[in-house]
Amino acid sequence: MGGPGDPPEGTPEGAPVGGEDEYRSVVFDESFVRAARLQEYSAHERMSDHAPAVRRRPPLRRGLSRQALILVLLIAVAFGTAIYMGVRHPYQNATIRRPVEPLRMTVIPLAPAGRVPGHPDAEYLYAHSPAAQYRVGAEGIPLPASRRTAHFSDSQVVSALTTAKDYIVRSSLDPDVLVGNQVRAARVLLDTDQLDQFDQSFTHPAADGRHAPTGWLVRFDPAEARLADGRIRVQGSLQAAETDSSTLEVTADHTFVYALRSAGDADSAVSLFTVRRELHFRFDRDDLRMHTAQLVVSYVQAGPLSCAEDSTNRLHPLFAGQTAKAGGPAGTDPYATGSAPALCGTLATSAQPKV
């Protein structure tokens, strides 16, 4: 007998045993059906007269449309342009940042040869001193005409000069810094990698050429001195130059003249105190973006001071009628590797007001 799926007459001669169809292995999946060139009309369509049983389907379009090709082309052009500009643009960002150097500082007190000149009127002293033609405050720190460099744009050079000026103003002209305990105004403009050195200088001052607060900013002891005139006289210059493709340097050289009175005597005569600060700033591209600076060199001369006084933490000015104390700075030990040599100079008579 035949199987349940076989015809009554049995399996035809030559047919596969068990009713296997030679086309059974062919699978007509959905994609095959959709791709067929012939398609049967629906019953409603076949009701029309002389309608053929099937109709020919339009060939499927393969590949991308014109709009897609244009879009791909535009993306490729934009990507290629971005790569080209990143490789060839003269103001490209630096990939590696150099380590930030610690600040190297030198503070030299200038001792007067005789008594410190004084007068009740600060304006009179200024008019009879070398600072007679100096400008007042930040006006004495003008920005120079800036030009682009090989690797830095005009705006980047201006940014470096502006940041350097801001630091000088905050660290040399702010009354809260000069005769107070304020340091944050200057601190926020420093590169973050220098903040540890800055903080250590104020928590543990040392005359080691690295940690003197007076190397970072100008400040007096409020118990000793006060400003007799807030219109501080200033004169100096700023210069910017490119040192390499990733670094700008700004050199600042300014002289500040302060009118001071003794804090313990409101009726005391006014005297002038002069500070010359030569500061070297360094800027990488991160500093330019963050409006911060690396202060790498600070060279300060200040007087009238007594060489016997320690000028590391605060400046201790000599006031009208006073003279420098006898003696000089402590001896320098050439075998001590952790200390800087003590320096002291003489304040020229020509630098004092003529009264």
Side-chain angles (χ1 to χ4, degrees), residues 169-187:
V169 169
R170 297 186 187 188
S171 64
S172 308
L173 300 176
D174 187 340
D176 291 333
V177 172
L178 296 174
V179 288
N181 296 311
Q182 176 64 261
V183 298
R184 186 179 182 278
R187 184 183 187 273

Side-chain angles (χ1 to χ4, degrees), residues 249-305:
E249 285 196 357
V250 173
T251 302
D253 185 356
H254 294 86
T255 300
F256 303 85
V257 185
Y258 306 88
L260 301 178
R261 272 197 177 98
S262 173
D265 186 359
D267 298 326
S268 61
V270 179
S271 59
L272 298 185
F273 188 85
T274 305
V275 178
R276 181 175 178 181
R277 302 183 77 194
E278 297 180 42
L279 306 178
H280 292 190
F281 299 90
R282 184 172 294 161
F283 300 84
D284 59 23
R285 298 183 187 278
D286 288 339
D287 292 316
L288 294 174
R289 186 178 67 256
M290 300 299 295
H291 192 59
T292 56
Q294 304 169 34
L295 182 57
V296 294
V297 176
S298 173
Y299 181 80
V300 179
Q301 301 176 55
L305 290 170

Side-chain angles (χ1 to χ4, degrees), residues 37-265:
R37 299 296 300 277
L38 297 179
Q39 181 182 23
E40 183 178 5
Y41 280 99
S42 66
H44 178 75
E45 291 174 323
R46 288 198 300 270
M47 291 176 62
S48 302
D49 293 339
H50 308 293
V54 297
R55 60 183 172 190
R56 185 174 297 274
R57 299 178 63 184
L60 293 176
R61 292 187 178 182
R62 300 190 179 274
L64 297 174
S65 65
R66 177 180 297 180
Q67 291 84 351
L69 287 174
I70 293 176
L71 180 60
V72 171
L73 181 60
L74 289 175
I75 293 175
V77 171
F79 185 71
T81 302
I83 294 177
Y84 175 82
M85 294 298 291
V87 173
R88 298 301 299 271
H89 198 277
Y91 309 128
Q92 60 183 342
N93 291 332
T95 56
I96 299 177
R97 192 186 190 209
R98 297 192 310 179
V100 176
E101 295 183 12
L103 170 61
R104 306 186 306 276
M105 59 183 69
T106 304
V107 180
I108 302 177
L110 301 177
R115 292 185 180 275
V116 176
H119 194 275
D121 184 14
E123 287 291 343
Y124 180 89
L125 287 178
Y126 280 131
H128 291 81
S129 75
Q133 303 302 319
Y134 285 14
R135 295 183 179 180
V136 175
E139 293 182 359
I141 314 174
L143 295 180
S146 60
R147 293 183 179 179
R148 63 189 298 178
T149 65
H151 298 90
F152 293 90
S153 65
D154 288 329
S155 61
Q156 288 174 318
V157 175
V158 170
S159 177
L161 291 167
T162 302
T163 303
K165 176 178 178 176
D166 288 346
Y167 183 88
I168 295 168
V169 169
R170 297 186 187 188
S171 64
S172 308
L173 300 176
D174 187 340
D176 291 333
V177 172
L178 296 174
V179 288
N181 296 311
Q182 176 64 261
V183 298
R184 186 179 182 278
R187 184 183 187 273
V188 296
L189 292 177
L190 291 172
D191 188 288
T192 55
D193 289 344
Q194 286 193 312
L195 295 182
D196 287 343
Q197 182 188 5
F198 182 90
D199 293 339
Q200 187 176 353
S201 298
F202 290 88
T203 56
H204 299 91
D208 58 359
R210 292 288 189 273
H211 300 95
T214 49
W216 294 99
L217 44 80
V218 179
R219 68 175 190 165
F220 308 102
D221 189 337
E224 299 176 352
R226 64 186 181 90
L227 291 173
D229 186 348
R231 296 174 297 173
I232 301 164
R233 303 308 196 265
V234 186
Q235 180 170 284
S237 63
L238 288 169
Q239 292 182 344
E242 175 183 317
T243 56
D244 56 49
S245 60
S246 60
T247 310
L248 273 175
E249 285 196 357
V250 173
T251 302
D253 185 356
H254 294 86
T255 300
F256 303 85
V257 185
Y258 306 88
L260 301 178
R261 272 197 177 98
S262 173
D265 186 359

